[in-house]
Every structure is written in C-alpha cells, then in structure tokens.
Amino acid sequence: MMDEREEDDDEEAWLQLRPVEPLPSQCCGSGCSPCVFDLYNQDLARWEAARASKDRSLLRGKESQSCPSELSPETFLAFRISAMEKLTKDTYRVQFVLPRNSRLGLRPGQHLILRGIVDGLEIQRAYTPISPANAEGYFEVLIKCYQTGLMSRYVESWRAGVAAFWRGPFGGFLYKPNQHGELLMLAAGTGLAPMVPILHSITDNADDETFVTLVGCFKTFEGIYLKTFLEEQARFWNVRTFFVLSQESSPEQLPWSYREKTRFGRLAQDLVEELVSSCRRKPFALVCGSAEFTKDMARCLLRAGLAEDSYFLF
C-alpha cells in the first residue's frame, strides 16, 4: 500500500498538473465563445476527472491539440509575419503567411484573437483581418498602438519573420450576399477593419447587388486608413463613402474629391438621420469603434427609426 509520503508526492504531482486560472488581462473582452475562461473550465473539468480516477491518460486530449492542422477557436496557432507597414504614427498594417497558399477560413465579419506576452503577463485582444476572405497564402490585420497599451508594446516589437499566435474564428455577424438591401457602415478609426472584408465580398461578387454607404470617422484627413482601397471601392456603382473628421474644419485643405463627402466635428444624431434617410433602400447598420462610439451610434440609430434587429454592433 502507498504510504503517506508517497500519497503526498502523488498529490503534489496532481496539483502541478492543475490548469492555471487565466488572469483578467487574458480575456479580450469581445464576448468570444469559447472565451479563455471557457477553455480553462474545460481543462479544469478534464483535470478533475483524471485526478478522481487517477488516470493521467485522460489529460492527453489537451496535448493532442498542440499541433492542429487548421485554425481553431480553442488553440493558438503560430503565423509568421511577412510584412509590416506603418500607416500612421500609431497604426500598422501587418501581413502574415498562410502555409501552402491556403486560405484563412474566416467569413466576412469574423475576427481572431491575438495572444501576446509582455513582462511575463499574457494578454489577448480581438482583431479583424482586413484581407479578402478568399485571399490565398496570407492574411492582413490593422492594429492601432497606444502609449500605455501592453498589447501595443508587444506589437511594436514585431519584425518580419517573427511569429505571432492567433485563434478563431469568432463573430456574431456573418455576411451573406443580398441578405440586406443596403448596409450602412459606421466606423470609427480601426473600427473600419470589419467593414473591409465585407466590402471586398460585395464588390468582388457580380451577383451581389447590396448597396453600401460607408461612413469613416477619423481625427484628420491624414489619419484616414486605407485611402487607396476606399477610393477604389467608391468607384463601384453600389458603394458610397463619407468621412467625418473631428479635428479639422476647413474643406479647402482637403483634396477636391473629398470635399463634398466630408463633414467636420463628430458623427451625431442629425447626420445619422440624414444618412439613414439618404440610403437607397432600408439599411441594415454595422457599427464598430470605441465602446463610447458604439453606444452613441446605437442610440442615434434607434432615434433615426431603425429597430434593434436592424443593426449590429461589433
């Protein structure tokens, strides 16, 4: 029979195998399913079952997922950085390599979770790839860095050839061609990201006759992301683009092609109502930006006559 010392050693061995509960910083806060805490609870239940039956082989389910062959919501995969472009003083466009010229497998509207480690602290944040859903051999993300952000410190340490870890896909909005007569996209800053693959999907599909009204809110004209892409999209018969600049006030300082479609100040109730009424068909609105922007836009859309099931907040 096992003596007390052996029992203590065995108990200590089991405790060392116990999953470590995630820190609050490891949750990206975007409502993903499974969340990092969901995964912890799954691992904890597996550990408790294995411990109760004294069968460590029950823990191998977790180990077998260490090298999955495709994107998974539960397991982080490493993707190598092939290019990193600085778009503004604090925003980067980063391209990652996909093996064997494969596709990422996300549908327009879905996002991924990035894992970073800074000063021994693990953090996770949600980002939406801006590359077309059918892009082969690569995917791209738009990332804004903040002076006090831990993830920002991690991203700014990246260089070509470095690997970053992602899991997914996640997302409650999945775009379907011709599902809505018109999409009204309200995006602030990097909130433009989830709109980009949806736009790609619409304009790349000759059978998709969805109208799009895209409103991009930025501080300055120089700070508008992806200008070339947005200008190309605006040439399609079913796409309109507008801009709202909060830190500029003179149309004379803008290129002539932007003057008629740019407003100054902030996107507020009067302009939202004007945009909704100018849509060629009854719009379904997509909103992405800061928490404050998203909350304000939801209130404005309701007052403009849209029902709660007529908009989606990323």
Side-chain angles (χ1 to χ4, degrees):
M1 294 180 64
M2 185 181 297
D3 60 28
E4 288 187 13
R5 180 176 297 178
E6 289 176 326
E7 287 182 358
D8 289 344
D9 290 344
D10 189 61
E11 180 68 13
E12 180 64 27
W14 276 108
L15 290 176
Q16 289 179 1
L17 293 172
R18 190 182 195 277
V20 178
E21 184 173 0
L23 297 172
S25 64
Q26 293 174 260
C27 178
C28 70
S30 63
C32 302
S33 180
C35 171
V36 63
F37 288 98
D38 296 331
L39 299 178
Y40 163 72
N41 288 329
Q42 291 174 15
D43 290 342
L44 182 61
R46 183 185 294 114
W47 175 82
E48 289 174 340
R51 182 188 181 194
S53 60
K54 298 186 182 300
D55 183 0
R56 296 190 185 187
S57 68
L58 297 178
L59 299 176
R60 292 175 186 167
K62 180 179 178 182
E63 295 172 359
S64 67
Q65 295 178 357
S66 59
C67 296
S69 59
E70 59 185 21
L71 198 63
S72 165
E74 299 184 359
T75 308
F76 282 98
L77 288 181
F79 295 95
R80 183 172 53 83
I81 296 171
S82 56
M84 190 164 179
E85 178 187 4
K86 195 168 187 176
L87 299 182
T88 68
K89 64 180 181 179
D90 58 8
T91 306
Y92 297 88
R93 180 176 187 165
V94 189
Q95 185 176 100
F96 294 86
V97 176
L98 292 174
R100 300 178 298 279
N101 219 33
S102 60
R103 296 183 181 183
L104 187 59
L106 266 67
R107 292 175 58 182
Q110 291 187 307
H111 65 269
L112 300 175
I113 300 298
L114 170 67
R115 181 182 70 189
I117 298 178
V118 178
D119 296 336
L121 181 68
E122 181 178 309
I123 45 182
Q124 299 185 24
R125 297 289 184 270
Y127 296 98
T128 303
I130 60 172
S131 42
N134 59 1
E136 297 181 347
Y138 76 98
F139 72 94
E140 294 179 329
V141 292
L142 188 67
I143 301 180
K144 182 173 182 177
C145 294
Y146 299 87
Q147 288 185 346
T148 58
L150 286 175
M151 185 62 83
S152 299
R153 285 175 53 191
Y154 173 63
V155 169
E156 289 181 330
S157 72
W158 284 352
R159 300 292 183 271
V162 170
F165 291 82
W166 299 88
R167 67 182 175 98
F170 302 100
F173 177 81
L174 300 177
Y175 178 72
K176 298 178 182 178
N178 297 307
Q179 183 180 10
H180 305 287
E182 179 155 359
L183 291 177
L184 173 59
M185 300 176 170
L186 307 178
T190 50
L192 179 66
M195 314 302 177
V196 173
I198 296 173
L199 262 176
H200 269 301
S201 175
I202 293 171
T203 56
D204 284 350
N205 182 0
D207 295 324
D208 193 340
E209 298 185 349
T210 304
F211 285 108
V212 177
T213 296
L214 169 67
V215 184
C217 302
F218 299 90
K219 292 181 179 179
T220 65
F221 174 76
E222 291 300 321
I224 298 175
Y225 306 129
L226 310 178
K227 286 191 187 74
T228 301
F229 167 76
L230 294 176
E231 290 167 0
E232 290 172 348
Q233 293 296 302
R235 296 191 184 105
F236 285 90
W237 63 272
N238 53 339
V239 177
R240 299 186 301 172
T241 58
F242 295 94
F243 299 93
V244 180
L245 305 179
S246 61
Q247 295 184 4
E248 297 212 25
S249 58
S250 174
E252 287 74 23
Q253 296 179 352
L254 302 177
W256 68 267
S257 59
Y258 280 81
R259 294 179 186 178
E260 289 188 0
K261 59 182 182 181
T262 301
R263 300 290 184 90
F264 302 101
R266 294 188 177 276
L267 184 57
Q269 186 66 49
D270 57 346
L271 183 51
V272 171
E273 291 181 0
E274 181 181 330
L275 289 164
V276 170
S277 63
S278 71
C279 287
R280 291 148 289 194
R281 300 173 181 172
K282 183 180 179 180
F284 183 90
L286 301 176
V287 181
C288 190
S290 67
E292 181 182 3
F293 176 83
T294 301
K295 182 179 178 180
D296 287 345
M297 291 304 101
R299 184 176 60 251
C300 289
L301 290 169
L302 286 172
R303 291 178 179 174
L306 267 65
E308 287 191 8
D309 62 356
S310 293
Y311 62 79
F312 181 84
L313 311 177
F314 284 100

